């Protein structure tokens, strides 16, 4: 999807001041709701093979087990690099069990939003509002909430991605470029799919304005942080018995899974994967005196309607102001537009071109930017068109409320049912009820 010319963002300068006291109060309330969503009923977290493996080995690393250069085995290829486990070790050392570890991950997720807001306040006034709306959506988005409560390598991305984007903005300076390289290499070692995310921002930096990048510093940071890949590569090439990467299939070029998820998951869709056979039952909630209200289904419909209006207004704006493909893909005067373009076109296209399976968890690293794109698309209005601006803000407010209700409904549903017939599986609380009384589930 083409992005709007960056010059249209300058229209924000004519708008009323956005960051008023009421706005900050509203954002604080949304963040408080986000904290509650991440910390409530943590005993009901998803806890299957990957989560149990991570807790077991992260808590034992450096204690009863040596640090390993390789991480979790996968079903689609070789083991992940060791950093996919190392990122959990400090939290695991401070935890008494998997619930404590999930609480630490949730705190890191909220910290990532704090960093995001801090960074937003240092962006030009024309772009600040978009980033603040993205933070509000991230605080309550159902999939973001779920992954901020999950013991899984990809769920450690949010804070690193926030820092990554901060450094990428100042990539012409040596120190930010160095840490951009460090963080990009670390993302790739936490999950190999994120290597395409890091690479996409390198490609976009080259194509947008390669002379403005402190490449020597970036190379130094990337090389230093990539050193752990040497023993990992030696292991998977000579010792590992894991299957090699899945076979590429040309048909996957036409599945369009990435753009579909990019457009729908920021609106609150995507819980069907975790719920599986319970998806329709979830849509029927809440059930009052034996009667299904289908309120959750209504919430999805409202979110979809808001997304359609935002998308339609964005499309009209693009058709009226488009100046060609290069200015759309590589805008030079809007950091927000460039970030969204790099994530959608760069990361999405690179992943698709591999012709490998497009697993849902590959989207986690791009979630914050997909939510940013929703705010970016909603706030692109014509100069002086205050009614359109007011409508955009109402639509975004509606999305925040709807996604808050969806997240609360999902957590409540899992808490009451616990045995989910989908990818979520049996909640940890239910597993503990069925486990031996010796407390082995905590070890």
């Amino acid at each position: 999807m083409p992005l709007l010319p960056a010059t249209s963002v300058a229209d924000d300068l004519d708008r009323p001041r956005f960051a008023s006291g009421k706005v900050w109060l509203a954002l604080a309330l949304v963040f408080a709701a986000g904290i509650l969503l991440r910390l409530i009923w943590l005993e009901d977290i998803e806890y299957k093979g990957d989560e149990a493996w991570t807790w077991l080995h992260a808590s034992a690393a450096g204690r009863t087990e040596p640090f390993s250069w390789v991480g979790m085995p996968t079903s689609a290829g070789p083991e992940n690099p060791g950093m996919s486990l190392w990122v959990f070790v400090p939290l695991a050392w401070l935890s008494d069990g998997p619930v404590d570890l999930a609480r630490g991950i949730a705190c890191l997720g909220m910290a990532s939003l704090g960093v995001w807001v801090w960074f937003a306040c240092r962006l030009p006034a024309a772009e600040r509002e978009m980033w603040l709306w993205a933070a509000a959506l991230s605080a309550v988005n159902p999939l973001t909430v779920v992954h901020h409560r999950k013991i899984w390598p990809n769920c450690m991305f949010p804070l690193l991605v926030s820092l990554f984007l901060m450094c990428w903005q100042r990539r012409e300076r040596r120190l930010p470029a160095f840490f951009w390289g460090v963080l990009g290499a670390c993302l790739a070692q936490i999950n190999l799919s994120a290597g395409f995310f890091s690479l996409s921002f390198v490609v976009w930096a080259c194509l947008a304005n390669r002379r403005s990048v402190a490449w020597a510093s970036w190379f130094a940071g990337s090389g230093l942080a990539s050193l752990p890949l040497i023993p990992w590569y030696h292991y998977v090439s000579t010792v590992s018995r894991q299957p090699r990467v899945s076979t590429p299939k040309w048909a996957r070029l036409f599945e369009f899974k990435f753009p579909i998820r990019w457009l729908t998951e920021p609106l609150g869709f995507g819980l069907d994967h975790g719920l599986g056979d319970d998806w329709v039952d979830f849509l029927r909630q809440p059930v009052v005196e034996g009667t299904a209200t289908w309120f959750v289904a209504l919430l999805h419909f409202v979110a979809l309607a808001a997304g359609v209006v935002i998308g339609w207004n964005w499309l009209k704006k693009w058709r009226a102001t488009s100046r060609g493909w290069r200015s759309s893909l590589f805008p030079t005067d809007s950091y927000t537009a460039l970030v969204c373009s790099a994530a959608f076109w760069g990361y999405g296209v690179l992943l698709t071109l591999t012709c490998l399976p497009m697993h849902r968890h590959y989207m986690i690293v791009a979630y914050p930017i997909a939510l940013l794109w929703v705010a970016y698309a909603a706030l692109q209005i014509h100069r002086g068109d205050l009614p359109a601006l007011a409508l955009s803000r109402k639509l975004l407010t509606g999305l925040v409320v709807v996604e808050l209700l969806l997240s609360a409904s999902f957590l409540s549903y899992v808490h009451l049912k616990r045995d989910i017939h989908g990818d979520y599986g049996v909640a940890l609380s239910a597993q503990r009820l069925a486990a031996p009384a010796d407390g082995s589930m905590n070890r």
Side-chain angles (χ1 to χ4, degrees):
M1 91 191 46
L3 293 170
L4 294 174
T7 52
S8 64
V9 179
D11 297 348
D12 285 317
L13 297 175
D14 294 338
R15 302 176 183 179
R17 187 169 180 266
F18 171 73
S20 64
K22 292 182 179 179
V23 168
W24 287 114
L25 176 60
L27 189 61
L29 291 175
V30 172
F31 269 46
I35 293 173
L36 179 62
L37 290 170
R38 284 159 176 78
L39 298 181
I40 194 172
W41 298 323
L42 273 175
E43 67 275 7
D44 296 327
I45 58 172
E46 181 178 350
Y47 198 71
K48 304 194 301 295
D50 288 352
E51 294 82 7
W53 187 95
T54 299
W55 161 248
L56 175 66
H57 292 281
S59 58
R63 293 174 169 175
T64 59
E65 295 180 0
F67 282 93
S68 174
W69 292 110
V70 298
M72 183 190 303
T74 67
S75 60
E79 295 91 341
N80 284 307
M83 198 170 293
S84 62
L85 177 63
W86 303 343
V87 290
F88 291 99
V89 171
L91 291 177
W93 283 354
L94 299 174
S95 302
D96 291 329
V99 173
D100 272 354
L101 180 57
R103 184 176 294 110
I105 295 168
C107 291
L108 288 181
M110 288 307 301
S112 71
L113 298 182
V115 171
W116 187 281
V117 171
W118 181 85
F119 178 54
C121 293
R122 281 150 181 80
L123 289 172
E127 304 189 67
R128 186 177 306 137
E129 179 176 355
M130 302 171 188
W131 288 71
L132 293 179
W133 276 114
L137 288 168
S138 296
V140 297
N141 177 266
L143 291 183
T144 302
V145 169
V146 168
H147 290 114
H148 282 189
R149 295 162 52 97
K150 185 176 170 68
I151 305 172
W152 215 31
N154 298 58
C155 301
M156 300 295 282
F157 283 148
L159 181 57
L160 296 179
V161 169
S162 295
L163 296 171
F164 177 92
L165 295 177
M166 288 176 55
C167 294
W168 197 66
Q169 189 211 19
R170 298 295 184 183
R171 57 193 177 278
E172 76 281 357
R173 300 180 181 179
R174 293 179 180 176
L175 194 60
F178 175 83
F179 283 107
W180 164 36
V182 169
L183 290 166
C186 289
L187 289 172
Q189 292 177 70
I190 293 174
N191 187 274
L192 294 175
S193 65
F196 294 102
F197 178 85
S198 300
L199 179 60
S200 68
F201 280 81
V202 175
V203 173
W204 249 244
C206 288
L207 297 178
N209 188 358
R210 65 179 182 275
R211 295 181 180 178
S212 65
V213 179
W215 288 113
S217 297
W218 175 81
F219 273 110
S222 300
L224 180 63
S226 297
L227 290 177
L229 285 175
I230 298 175
W232 168 80
Y233 180 77
H234 174 74
Y235 177 89
V236 299
S237 61
T238 61
V239 179
S240 175
R241 296 182 180 180
Q242 283 288 107
R244 293 304 175 230
V245 178
S246 301
T247 304
K249 295 182 179 179
W250 289 105
R252 294 186 178 121
L253 289 173
F254 308 102
E255 292 177 341
F256 303 113
K257 288 184 177 180
F258 186 91
I260 291 172
R261 291 169 183 166
W262 176 279
L263 292 172
T264 58
E265 291 180 351
L267 303 178
F269 290 80
L271 293 174
D272 57 303
H273 177 66
L275 291 170
D277 294 339
D278 291 321
W279 168 241
V280 175
D281 186 47
F282 175 63
L283 295 178
R284 297 171 64 247
Q285 302 301 313
V287 176
V288 180
E289 296 182 354
T291 302
T293 64
W294 294 93
F295 180 66
V296 172
L298 177 62
L299 291 175
H300 280 87
F301 176 80
V302 172
L304 180 61
V308 168
V309 174
I310 290 172
W312 178 251
N313 289 339
W314 165 81
L315 183 60
K316 290 192 298 183
K317 178 69 175 179
W318 172 75
R319 291 183 63 183
T321 58
S322 178
R323 297 181 301 173
W325 67 271
R326 181 166 183 83
S327 64
S328 295
L329 292 179
F330 311 109
T332 57
D333 52 356
S334 170
Y335 180 66
T336 303
L338 192 61
V339 164
C340 292
S341 184
F344 180 83
W345 291 107
Y347 181 49
V349 168
L350 284 174
L351 270 183
T352 303
L353 289 178
T354 64
C355 295
L356 296 173
M358 187 71 70
H359 297 297
R360 288 176 176 266
H361 60 269
Y362 292 171
M363 294 294 300
I364 296 176
V365 69
Y367 275 163
I369 306 175
L371 291 162
L372 175 63
W373 188 86
V374 172
Y376 174 83
L379 295 173
Q380 295 305 303
I381 66 169
H382 292 283
R383 181 180 295 274
D385 192 350
L386 295 182
L389 172 63
L391 174 62
S392 296
R393 288 175 174 167
K394 289 178 181 178
L395 289 170
L396 291 171
T397 300
L399 276 178
V400 170
V401 174
V402 166
E403 296 192 25
L404 170 60
L405 294 174
L406 282 174
S407 296
S409 299
F410 175 80
L411 295 178
S412 176
Y413 184 79
V414 171
H415 179 66
L416 294 174
K417 196 171 189 303
R418 297 187 178 182
D419 184 3
I420 304 299
H421 300 155
D423 188 70
Y424 197 95
V426 181
L428 177 60
S429 56
Q431 295 181 45
R432 284 179 166 175
L433 289 175
D438 60 2
S440 59
M441 284 295 296
N442 285 328
R443 294 201 289 267

